[in-house]
Amino acid sequence: MSDVKFFSGENIPLEMHKVRMVQRVYLLPIEERAKRMAEAGYNTFLLRNKDIFLDMLTDSGVNAMSENQYAAMLQADDSYAGSETFYRLESVLQDMFNMEYFLPAHQGRACEHILSRLLVTPGSTAIMNYHFTTTKAHICTLGGQIEEIIIDEGLEINSELAFKGNLDINKLNEAIARLGRENICFVRIEAGTNLVGGQPVSMQNMREVSKICRAEGLTLVYDASLLSDNLYFIKKRDGEFKDKEIIDITREIGSLMDIIYFSARKLGAARGGGILTSNKEMFLQMREMVPLYEGFLTYGGMSVREMEAMAIGLQESLDIDIISQTPIFVEVLCRELLTKGVPVVTPPGGLGCHIDARAFCSHLSQEQYPAGALAAAFFLASGVRGMERGTLSEQRNPDGSETLAHMELLRLAFPKRVFTLSQVRYVADRLAWLYENRELIGGLIFEEEPRVLRFFFGRLKTDGNWPEKLIKKFRADFGESL
């Protein structure tokens, strides 16, 4: 298996693919960008794609598929029941994780819905390294609650620790003793902590958590949506796995977990999702829910063409030349930003480059949504759409007060095999300019605030006329340049 390849020293990654189809993008003038941002209620989720230059909102469902994935789509079996496409996908997943049963679902949050209905009871607690927005919403909607026990370093912006996503073993033992195992609905490991910088989880930590869960009779659930990045980091950062095949790593993970679920919009570079287990009783209980909520058992709400593409994408996620591309591009952007003084989460994780909005906008309070304000300001300055991952992504407490996030981050996601190095450098250049002019960024105020998952479709307004001031400074510095 080949090592990651660079040229001109250690800092310039060599793409191990070539581009054979392109999509045109447009860069609107800053005045037009400001108009579109206001129309979207200063929520980057509500921007229209035609108005965006580079879309770094997410890596979910927007990855570039390979030629083999497109070719596989032509052999899809459209049968409603008993589709051969399903059995091909099932076989790939069984081989990959060495788990017996597979249930399809249309995407990751659909898997969370089924798992929550299976495991969550009112008053129960789900323990996890860190929550994801939809995971938390499903659990809380059913009357459960969450407890996060990520290691302390996982909530530090800057660290040299290789696996900041690890669960704290002492905190896990304490939580079990305090809550009582009968009151814990499940323990969840997220491979690559989405909300706190895409930081990976070590194999040793998974082994320790699995041992405790089996001794205590607790169900251990693994969110494998960001698995490909985590596999890369295990192979690169853990000497035990330097010379091991990636499929040996995935099979060991499968041996440690009771349930694995994933979004193929991330893992597999297609669209869809699924649940794996070797527990027959759990499988039979979940099987009843798939036709009710998703579709028949051999398509689960997915297009069979996407299932064929997913099967190939999953096999490709076992190739280091393929899964290395996102992490090394994230690292290149993070390192370049650090040289320009822009505060970012370190070490660079998977999924995307995470900007420390609290340090970037230190003049703003968390109640002013600094990560959301930075996302809006960066779109004005660059035409690049990022995602707020901070207090705005939380939801209010029952008394109406804010749940202040542990971190205020602007996430600039890297869809697989989508961006060029010059585009990455453009992002760094415009972020550096914005950082030099960061005092011009003001806060945001909700105008329309949904009760659940407000970051998806809530609308905000600016606290003052700071976008106009930012535009004036931009034109003074760049003239008629876009």
Side-chain angles (χ1 to χ4, degrees):
M1 190 172 294
S2 59
D3 294 324
V4 179
K5 299 173 179 64
F6 297 89
F7 67 90
S8 299
E10 297 183 354
N11 296 320
I12 309 299
L14 181 61
E15 294 94 334
M16 296 306 296
H17 58 267
K18 62 181 180 180
V19 177
R20 297 204 297 171
M21 184 173 71
V22 297
Q23 180 182 19
R24 186 172 179 179
V25 293
Y26 298 89
L27 181 55
L28 299 178
I30 188 171
E31 293 80 7
E32 287 297 313
R33 300 198 292 265
K35 182 179 178 181
R36 301 296 186 271
M37 192 75 262
E39 290 170 349
Y42 293 90
N43 182 347
T44 56
F45 268 99
L46 300 182
L47 288 166
R48 296 183 62 173
N49 188 58
K50 69 181 181 65
D51 300 323
I52 295 164
F53 176 47
L54 302 178
D55 193 359
M56 305 183 80
L57 182 81
T58 181
D59 65 334
S60 182
V62 290
N63 300 292
M65 294 200 305
S66 71
E67 59 187 347
N68 291 327
Q69 287 181 283
Y70 280 110
M73 294 172 78
L74 298 177
Q75 67 175 348
D77 179 355
D78 278 322
S79 302
Y80 181 89
S83 166
E84 288 302 312
T85 290
F86 169 81
Y87 294 109
R88 280 191 283 270
L89 175 58
E90 179 186 55
S91 177
V92 168
L93 284 162
Q94 288 172 334
D95 182 57
M96 186 172 176
F97 293 106
N98 200 25
M99 299 183 89
E100 188 171 356
Y101 304 109
F102 167 61
L103 290 167
H106 78 273
Q107 65 182 88
R109 72 195 57 167
C111 301
E112 291 172 340
H113 174 223
I114 290 171
L115 289 170
S116 295
R117 286 192 171 272
L118 171 71
L119 299 171
V120 177
T121 56
S124 64
T125 299
I127 296 175
M128 56 191 70
N129 50 350
Y130 208 79
H131 79 278
F132 184 62
T133 51
T134 56
T135 318
K136 182 177 179 179
H138 280 299
I139 293 166
C140 294
T141 297
L142 292 172
Q145 58 189 8
I146 68 163
E147 183 161 332
E148 296 160 332
I149 57 166
I150 193 169
I151 57 174
D152 292 342
E153 293 90 338
L155 299 179
E156 295 175 1
I157 293 294
N158 300 122
S159 171
E160 295 301 317
L161 193 67
F163 295 98
K164 286 169 63 177
N166 284 354
L167 281 77
D168 188 307
I169 299 302
N170 291 331
K171 291 178 184 177
L172 176 59
N173 286 322
E174 186 279 329
I176 294 170
R178 170 170 42 85
L179 296 169
R181 60 186 180 186
E182 69 279 4
N183 297 313
I184 298 171
C185 51
F186 61 89
V187 177
R188 172 180 172 270
I189 297 175
E190 183 178 318
T193 46
N194 195 314
L195 296 185
V196 288
Q199 298 296 318
V201 180
S202 72
M203 183 67 79
Q204 183 58 34
N205 189 246
M206 289 185 255
R207 291 167 178 163
E208 292 174 3
V209 174
S210 179
K211 182 178 180 180
I212 292 169
C213 287
R214 288 181 175 169
E216 296 287 348
L218 295 172
T219 299
L220 182 57
V221 175
Y222 187 73
D223 181 348
S225 301
L226 295 173
L227 175 66
S228 60
D229 292 340
N230 211 104
L231 292 171
Y232 168 79
F233 288 123
I234 287 174
K235 187 163 178 61
K236 180 178 180 181
R237 297 177 180 177
D238 187 339
E240 178 185 348
F241 296 94
K242 178 181 178 182
D243 298 319
K244 289 194 176 182
E245 298 293 330
I246 291 179
I247 196 167
D248 294 328
I249 303 175
T250 62
R251 286 172 178 167
E252 179 169 355
I253 292 172
S255 73
L256 298 173
M257 306 300 158
D258 296 304
I259 294 174
I260 292 177
Y261 76 93
F262 65 95
S263 169
R265 297 175 70 89
K266 296 180 181 292
L267 178 65
R271 287 178 175 83
I275 303 170
L276 290 131
T277 185
S278 291
N279 185 306
K280 186 174 183 180
E281 182 180 351
M282 286 183 175
F283 166 73
L284 293 175
Q285 289 178 279
M286 290 187 288
R287 186 178 66 174
E288 296 178 0
M289 297 185 227
V290 172
L292 182 60
Y293 297 120
E294 295 298 302
F296 193 66
L297 294 169
T298 50
Y299 76 94
M302 286 186 281
S303 156
V304 288
R305 288 162 181 77
E306 292 286 357
M307 293 170 72
E308 293 284 3
M310 186 199 308
I312 299 299
L314 289 165
Q315 291 174 320
E316 291 176 345
S317 70
L318 304 175
D319 185 333
I320 191 67
D321 280 343
I322 291 175
I323 65 173
S324 66
Q325 298 296 284
T326 294
I328 62 177
F329 265 75
V330 169
E331 183 170 356
V332 165
L333 178 55
C334 286
R335 296 304 178 199
E336 186 158 349
L337 288 173
L338 286 170
T339 65
K340 298 175 184 294
V342 179
V344 300
V345 174
T346 60
L351 176 59
C353 177
H354 293 75
I355 315 303
D356 180 7
R358 190 181 295 178
F360 199 113
C361 301
S362 58
H363 55 290
L364 299 179
S365 69
Q366 284 191 267
E367 289 83 358
Q368 292 176 289
Y369 309 123
L374 179 56
F378 187 51
F379 177 74
L380 297 186
S382 65
V384 177
R385 174 165 68 166
M387 183 189 292
E388 186 273 357
R389 299 277 71 165
T391 296
L392 200 151
S393 289
E394 300 289 344
Q395 60 190 48
R396 291 186 186 271
N397 297 311
D399 64 0
S401 62
E402 281 287 4
T403 301
L404 300 179
H406 290 114
M407 292 183 176
E408 295 285 345
L409 304 177
L410 167 61
R411 187 184 78 190
L412 300 175
F414 275 77
K416 295 177 179 63
R417 300 171 291 204
V418 170
F419 298 126
T420 66
L421 194 58
S422 66
Q423 290 169 333
V424 172
R425 286 175 168 165
Y426 170 82
V427 169
D429 177 79
R430 291 303 159 99
L431 262 173
W433 176 86
L434 188 59
Y435 186 64
E436 291 172 359
N437 296 282
R438 58 192 179 277
E439 293 295 330
L440 295 175
I441 303 172
L444 298 175
I445 303 168
F446 263 108
E447 283 193 308
E448 179 184 326
E449 183 177 355
R451 186 178 61 85
V452 179
L453 299 176
R454 62 184 183 177
F455 67 93
F456 273 140
F457 46 93
R459 304 184 70 86
L460 302 100
K461 62 181 180 181
T462 59
D463 184 4
N465 65 341
W466 61 264
E468 289 81 359
K469 296 177 182 178
L470 192 66
I471 294 169
K472 184 177 180 180
K473 176 61 174 172
F474 184 94
R475 283 300 179 207
D477 288 352
F478 294 110
E480 294 303 310
S481 169
L482 295 177

